[in-house]
Amino acid sequence: MVAFKDQGHQVIGLDATPAFVKMAQQVSGCEVWQQSFLNLKLPPKSFDGIFANASLIHIPRASMVRVLKDIKRSLVSNGAIVMSIDLLQKSNKKDINGSV
């Protein structure tokens, strides 16, 4: 958040854990909303970009499409999202030898 803020962007953080929301606010000086990806209440067409690196990995596979649609609704036209997801998920992960 600080890196984006330092580049002149208006930043709003998001976390489901109250203690992390408070910590992020204190460290960054940014607005931080307490919300879960599973129950997003983002305003429609409000964000130019969303950075969700290493956060969507916590979303159950069954909920991923709905969460991504919720995120997409919050982006302005031609908005961008940077994200990482775990395509294998826990139930499908295998080690390098093919064992679960």
PDB file of all heavy atoms in Angstrom, residues 38-54:
ATOM      1  N   LEU A  38     -15.137 -13.171   0.668  1.00  0.00           N
ATOM      2  CA  LEU A  38     -16.347 -13.990   0.548  1.00  0.00           C
ATOM      3  C   LEU A  38     -17.626 -13.189   0.761  1.00  0.00           C
ATOM      4  O   LEU A  38     -18.709 -13.676   0.507  1.00  0.00           O
ATOM      5  CB  LEU A  38     -16.283 -15.164   1.519  1.00  0.00           C
ATOM      6  CG  LEU A  38     -15.137 -16.142   1.267  1.00  0.00           C
ATOM      7  CD1 LEU A  38     -15.092 -17.212   2.346  1.00  0.00           C
ATOM      8  CD2 LEU A  38     -15.250 -16.766  -0.111  1.00  0.00           C
ATOM      9  N   ASN A  39     -17.487 -11.948   1.233  1.00  0.00           N
ATOM     10  CA  ASN A  39     -18.649 -11.095   1.460  1.00  0.00           C
ATOM     11  C   ASN A  39     -18.292  -9.647   1.106  1.00  0.00           C
ATOM     12  O   ASN A  39     -18.418  -8.753   1.930  1.00  0.00           O
ATOM     13  CB  ASN A  39     -19.105 -11.219   2.918  1.00  0.00           C
ATOM     14  CG  ASN A  39     -20.446 -10.572   3.151  1.00  0.00           C
ATOM     15  OD1 ASN A  39     -21.231 -10.393   2.235  1.00  0.00           O
ATOM     16  ND2 ASN A  39     -20.720 -10.204   4.387  1.00  0.00           N
ATOM     17  N   LEU A  40     -17.844  -9.447  -0.133  1.00  0.00           N
ATOM     18  CA  LEU A  40     -17.412  -8.116  -0.563  1.00  0.00           C
ATOM     19  C   LEU A  40     -18.585  -7.156  -0.690  1.00  0.00           C
ATOM     20  O   LEU A  40     -19.645  -7.523  -1.182  1.00  0.00           O
ATOM     21  CB  LEU A  40     -16.695  -8.202  -1.908  1.00  0.00           C
ATOM     22  CG  LEU A  40     -15.271  -8.726  -1.889  1.00  0.00           C
ATOM     23  CD1 LEU A  40     -14.733  -8.829  -3.319  1.00  0.00           C
ATOM     24  CD2 LEU A  40     -14.362  -7.860  -1.053  1.00  0.00           C
ATOM     25  N   LYS A  41     -18.336  -5.941  -0.270  1.00  0.00           N
ATOM     26  CA  LYS A  41     -19.312  -4.869  -0.432  1.00  0.00           C
ATOM     27  C   LYS A  41     -18.572  -3.662  -1.015  1.00  0.00           C
ATOM     28  O   LYS A  41     -18.560  -2.585  -0.428  1.00  0.00           O
ATOM     29  CB  LYS A  41     -19.960  -4.539   0.904  1.00  0.00           C
ATOM     30  CG  LYS A  41     -20.841  -5.651   1.415  1.00  0.00           C
ATOM     31  CD  LYS A  41     -21.461  -5.302   2.753  1.00  0.00           C
ATOM     32  CE  LYS A  41     -22.446  -6.325   3.264  1.00  0.00           C
ATOM     33  NZ  LYS A  41     -22.065  -7.689   3.174  1.00  0.00           N
ATOM     34  N   LEU A  42     -17.953  -3.880  -2.158  1.00  0.00           N
ATOM     35  CA  LEU A  42     -17.216  -2.807  -2.818  1.00  0.00           C
ATOM     36  C   LEU A  42     -18.168  -2.000  -3.693  1.00  0.00           C
ATOM     37  O   LEU A  42     -19.058  -2.558  -4.331  1.00  0.00           O
ATOM     38  CB  LEU A  42     -16.102  -3.393  -3.696  1.00  0.00           C
ATOM     39  CG  LEU A  42     -15.031  -4.203  -2.965  1.00  0.00           C
ATOM     40  CD1 LEU A  42     -14.073  -4.839  -3.968  1.00  0.00           C
ATOM     41  CD2 LEU A  42     -14.285  -3.338  -1.976  1.00  0.00           C
ATOM     42  N   PRO A  43     -17.972  -0.692  -3.739  1.00  0.00           N
ATOM     43  CA  PRO A  43     -18.831   0.119  -4.604  1.00  0.00           C
ATOM     44  C   PRO A  43     -18.577  -0.215  -6.073  1.00  0.00           C
ATOM     45  O   PRO A  43     -17.424  -0.410  -6.474  1.00  0.00           O
ATOM     46  CB  PRO A  43     -18.416   1.552  -4.268  1.00  0.00           C
ATOM     47  CG  PRO A  43     -17.092   1.454  -3.615  1.00  0.00           C
ATOM     48  CD  PRO A  43     -16.983   0.098  -3.011  1.00  0.00           C
ATOM     49  N   PRO A  44     -19.629  -0.287  -6.866  1.00  0.00           N
ATOM     50  CA  PRO A  44     -19.456  -0.632  -8.283  1.00  0.00           C
ATOM     51  C   PRO A  44     -18.706   0.447  -9.058  1.00  0.00           C
ATOM     52  O   PRO A  44     -18.844   1.635  -8.773  1.00  0.00           O
ATOM     53  CB  PRO A  44     -20.886  -0.794  -8.797  1.00  0.00           C
ATOM     54  CG  PRO A  44     -21.745  -0.073  -7.819  1.00  0.00           C
ATOM     55  CD  PRO A  44     -21.023  -0.065  -6.505  1.00  0.00           C
ATOM     56  N   LYS A  45     -17.906  -0.010 -10.009  1.00  0.00           N
ATOM     57  CA  LYS A  45     -17.199   0.875 -10.946  1.00  0.00           C
ATOM     58  C   LYS A  45     -16.477   2.008 -10.226  1.00  0.00           C
ATOM     59  O   LYS A  45     -16.586   3.176 -10.608  1.00  0.00           O
ATOM     60  CB  LYS A  45     -18.159   1.413 -11.989  1.00  0.00           C
ATOM     61  CG  LYS A  45     -18.788   0.309 -12.802  1.00  0.00           C
ATOM     62  CD  LYS A  45     -19.700   0.819 -13.875  1.00  0.00           C
ATOM     63  CE  LYS A  45     -20.357  -0.399 -14.493  1.00  0.00           C
ATOM     64  NZ  LYS A  45     -20.754  -0.325 -15.802  1.00  0.00           N
ATOM     65  N   SER A  46     -15.703   1.657  -9.193  1.00  0.00           N
ATOM     66  CA  SER A  46     -15.067   2.675  -8.361  1.00  0.00           C
ATOM     67  C   SER A  46     -13.544   2.639  -8.351  1.00  0.00           C
ATOM     68  O   SER A  46     -12.916   3.587  -7.909  1.00  0.00           O
ATOM     69  CB  SER A  46     -15.546   2.532  -6.912  1.00  0.00           C
ATOM     70  OG  SER A  46     -16.936   2.733  -6.848  1.00  0.00           O
ATOM     71  N   PHE A  47     -12.946   1.559  -8.829  1.00  0.00           N
ATOM     72  CA  PHE A  47     -11.501   1.411  -8.711  1.00  0.00           C
ATOM     73  C   PHE A  47     -10.849   1.300 -10.085  1.00  0.00           C
ATOM     74  O   PHE A  47     -11.298   0.538 -10.935  1.00  0.00           O
ATOM     75  CB  PHE A  47     -11.159   0.176  -7.866  1.00  0.00           C
ATOM     76  CG  PHE A  47     -11.661   0.263  -6.454  1.00  0.00           C
ATOM     77  CD1 PHE A  47     -12.853  -0.358  -6.095  1.00  0.00           C
ATOM     78  CD2 PHE A  47     -10.965   0.979  -5.501  1.00  0.00           C
ATOM     79  CE1 PHE A  47     -13.331  -0.264  -4.799  1.00  0.00           C
ATOM     80  CE2 PHE A  47     -11.445   1.077  -4.200  1.00  0.00           C
ATOM     81  CZ  PHE A  47     -12.628   0.457  -3.848  1.00  0.00           C
ATOM     82  N   ASP A  48      -9.769   2.039 -10.270  1.00  0.00           N
ATOM     83  CA  ASP A  48      -8.995   1.945 -11.507  1.00  0.00           C
ATOM     84  C   ASP A  48      -8.182   0.656 -11.532  1.00  0.00           C
ATOM     85  O   ASP A  48      -7.899   0.116 -12.594  1.00  0.00           O
ATOM     86  CB  ASP A  48      -8.034   3.127 -11.635  1.00  0.00           C
ATOM     87  CG  ASP A  48      -8.766   4.442 -11.779  1.00  0.00           C
ATOM     88  OD1 ASP A  48      -9.734   4.502 -12.557  1.00  0.00           O
ATOM     89  OD2 ASP A  48      -8.366   5.413 -11.108  1.00  0.00           O
ATOM     90  N   GLY A  49      -7.783   0.197 -10.360  1.00  0.00           N
ATOM     91  CA  GLY A  49      -6.993  -1.020 -10.286  1.00  0.00           C
ATOM     92  C   GLY A  49      -7.124  -1.689  -8.939  1.00  0.00           C
ATOM     93  O   GLY A  49      -7.415  -1.037  -7.932  1.00  0.00           O
ATOM     94  N   ILE A  50      -6.924  -2.984  -8.949  1.00  0.00           N
ATOM     95  CA  ILE A  50      -6.946  -3.784  -7.719  1.00  0.00           C
ATOM     96  C   ILE A  50      -5.705  -4.658  -7.724  1.00  0.00           C
ATOM     97  O   ILE A  50      -5.401  -5.320  -8.720  1.00  0.00           O
ATOM     98  CB  ILE A  50      -8.224  -4.632  -7.625  1.00  0.00           C
ATOM     99  CG1 ILE A  50      -9.436  -3.717  -7.467  1.00  0.00           C
ATOM    100  CG2 ILE A  50      -8.134  -5.624  -6.464  1.00  0.00           C
ATOM    101  CD1 ILE A  50     -10.771  -4.416  -7.434  1.00  0.00           C
ATOM    102  N   PHE A  51      -4.982  -4.636  -6.620  1.00  0.00           N
ATOM    103  CA  PHE A  51      -3.782  -5.447  -6.437  1.00  0.00           C
ATOM    104  C   PHE A  51      -4.111  -6.496  -5.387  1.00  0.00           C
ATOM    105  O   PHE A  51      -4.310  -6.164  -4.218  1.00  0.00           O
ATOM    106  CB  PHE A  51      -2.619  -4.552  -5.991  1.00  0.00           C
ATOM    107  CG  PHE A  51      -1.311  -5.271  -5.876  1.00  0.00           C
ATOM    108  CD1 PHE A  51      -0.548  -5.528  -7.005  1.00  0.00           C
ATOM    109  CD2 PHE A  51      -0.836  -5.673  -4.645  1.00  0.00           C
ATOM    110  CE1 PHE A  51       0.670  -6.170  -6.898  1.00  0.00           C
ATOM    111  CE2 PHE A  51       0.380  -6.321  -4.536  1.00  0.00           C
ATOM    112  CZ  PHE A  51       1.137  -6.573  -5.664  1.00  0.00           C
ATOM    113  N   ALA A  52      -4.199  -7.746  -5.788  1.00  0.00           N
ATOM    114  CA  ALA A  52      -4.592  -8.831  -4.876  1.00  0.00           C
ATOM    115  C   ALA A  52      -3.542  -9.941  -4.926  1.00  0.00           C
ATOM    116  O   ALA A  52      -3.847 -11.096  -5.183  1.00  0.00           O
ATOM    117  CB  ALA A  52      -5.974  -9.360  -5.261  1.00  0.00           C
ATOM    118  N   ASN A  53      -2.313  -9.578  -4.688  1.00  0.00           N
ATOM    119  CA  ASN A  53      -1.224 -10.548  -4.729  1.00  0.00           C
ATOM    120  C   ASN A  53      -1.193 -11.357  -3.435  1.00  0.00           C
ATOM    121  O   ASN A  53      -1.183 -10.794  -2.351  1.00  0.00           O
ATOM    122  CB  ASN A  53       0.109  -9.830  -4.939  1.00  0.00           C
ATOM    123  CG  ASN A  53       1.227 -10.782  -5.219  1.00  0.00           C
ATOM    124  OD1 ASN A  53       1.047 -11.770  -5.921  1.00  0.00           O
ATOM    125  ND2 ASN A  53       2.380 -10.506  -4.679  1.00  0.00           N
ATOM    126  N   ALA A  54      -1.222 -12.669  -3.567  1.00  0.00           N
ATOM    127  CA  ALA A  54      -1.140 -13.596  -2.427  1.00  0.00           C
ATOM    128  C   ALA A  54      -2.305 -13.439  -1.446  1.00  0.00           C
ATOM    129  O   ALA A  54      -2.179 -13.753  -0.273  1.00  0.00           O
ATOM    130  CB  ALA A  54       0.195 -13.456  -1.700  1.00  0.00           C
TER     131      ALA A  54
END
